[in-house]
Amino acid sequence: MNIGLLPLLSEPSVFITVLVVLALSLAAHEMGHAFVADRLGDPTPRQFGRVTLNPIPHLSPIGILLLVLVGFGFASTPINPARLSRWGRVAVAAAGPSVNLLIAIGFILLFRFLPQNEAVTQAFQYIISINVLLAVINLLPIPLLDGSRILGGLVPSLGRSLDDFERQPYSFIVVFGVLYLLGSQINLLRITLTNVLLQIFG
């Protein structure tokens, strides 16, 4: 599955649009984590300047490179789990994907009230698809992703095992490989969820 942005270089306007939407969507996702953690009593994200929609504090150089090469950026929000309750950690983990779903729903609703032309339709398709994709990927119960942290909060013994795996130096490579192998299934989930949202809110 070719999920990178490099093939879009032949269409510069499309490349730039997708890159900007991805960066802003990742920033919104991470700000969701940061905002909820901050509100629940953990000042760590605010101390690191992460309670913002500015993509720059959220994206690492490696994350930007992955964003361009494979279309899947890497961003993270620093939190101090010791300052959060078990359910607080679950809420923080769920906040990122929830923001992406709310963005997708918001643009589906907004689309109904805007002039219908090719440029608007294409832009909205990118925004909705990318945010649904980010939600789907991050809700997978795979280490390093929000889904595993939600699952770990619900089942603490499993959460400890997932934390142990995440501390391994090879964990990122393994997770990235799994996501690549599951690319077709992830895309099918994205299409299915997008269609469900369109049926409900479109």
Side-chain angles (χ1 to χ4, degrees), residues 137-151:
I137 289 174
N138 280 282
L139 285 173
L140 294 173
I142 296 174
L144 299 177
L145 301 179
D146 299 324
S148 73
R149 296 188 171 103
I150 295 170
L151 181 61

Side-chain angles (χ1 to χ4, degrees), residues 78-145:
I79 65 167
N80 183 354
R83 290 182 174 269
L84 298 166
S85 68
R86 170 188 168 190
W87 297 110
R89 293 192 292 273
V90 171
V92 170
S98 298
V99 167
N100 292 124
L101 287 176
L102 287 173
I103 291 172
I105 291 169
F107 274 87
I108 289 171
L109 292 171
L110 182 61
F111 183 71
R112 296 161 59 182
F113 303 101
L114 292 179
Q116 306 298 303
N117 60 61
E118 185 177 351
V120 170
T121 300
Q122 187 177 55
F124 273 57
Q125 284 176 342
Y126 289 140
I127 294 168
I128 293 165
S129 293
I130 286 170
N131 277 279
V132 172
L133 178 63
L134 287 173
V136 166
I137 289 174
N138 280 282
L139 285 173
L140 294 173
I142 296 174
L144 299 177
L145 301 179

Side-chain angles (χ1 to χ4, degrees), residues 7 46 54 59 75 78 90 119 126 141 158-159 163-164 171 185 199 201:
R46 186 172 294 278
N54 181 357
L59 288 171
V90 171
Y126 289 140
L158 181 58
D163 289 341
D164 289 340
S171 60
Q185 289 77 11
Q199 289 177 3
F201 300 102

Side-chain angles (χ1 to χ4, degrees), residues 21-42:
V21 171
L22 266 170
L24 291 175
S25 298
L26 280 168
H29 177 103
E30 296 303 328
M31 183 185 170
H33 292 311
F35 177 80
V36 172
D38 186 64
R39 297 292 292 179
L40 292 179
D42 179 11

Side-chain angles (χ1 to χ4, degrees), residues 119-197:
V120 170
T121 300
Q122 187 177 55
F124 273 57
Q125 284 176 342
Y126 289 140
I127 294 168
I128 293 165
S129 293
I130 286 170
N131 277 279
V132 172
L133 178 63
L134 287 173
V136 166
I137 289 174
N138 280 282
L139 285 173
L140 294 173
I142 296 174
L144 299 177
L145 301 179
D146 299 324
S148 73
R149 296 188 171 103
I150 295 170
L151 181 61
L154 298 175
V155 187
S157 59
L158 181 58
R160 287 188 289 272
S161 298
L162 292 169
D163 289 341
D164 289 340
F165 175 81
E166 290 186 6
R167 283 191 285 268
Q168 302 302 316
Y170 54 77
S171 60
F172 178 79
I173 296 173
V174 172
V175 170
F176 185 82
V178 170
L179 289 175
Y180 183 82
L181 292 174
L182 293 177
S184 297
Q185 289 77 11
I186 290 171
N187 194 46
L188 180 59
L189 285 173
R190 176 192 64 80
I191 293 170
T192 302
L193 181 54
T194 300
N195 287 336
V196 170
L197 294 178

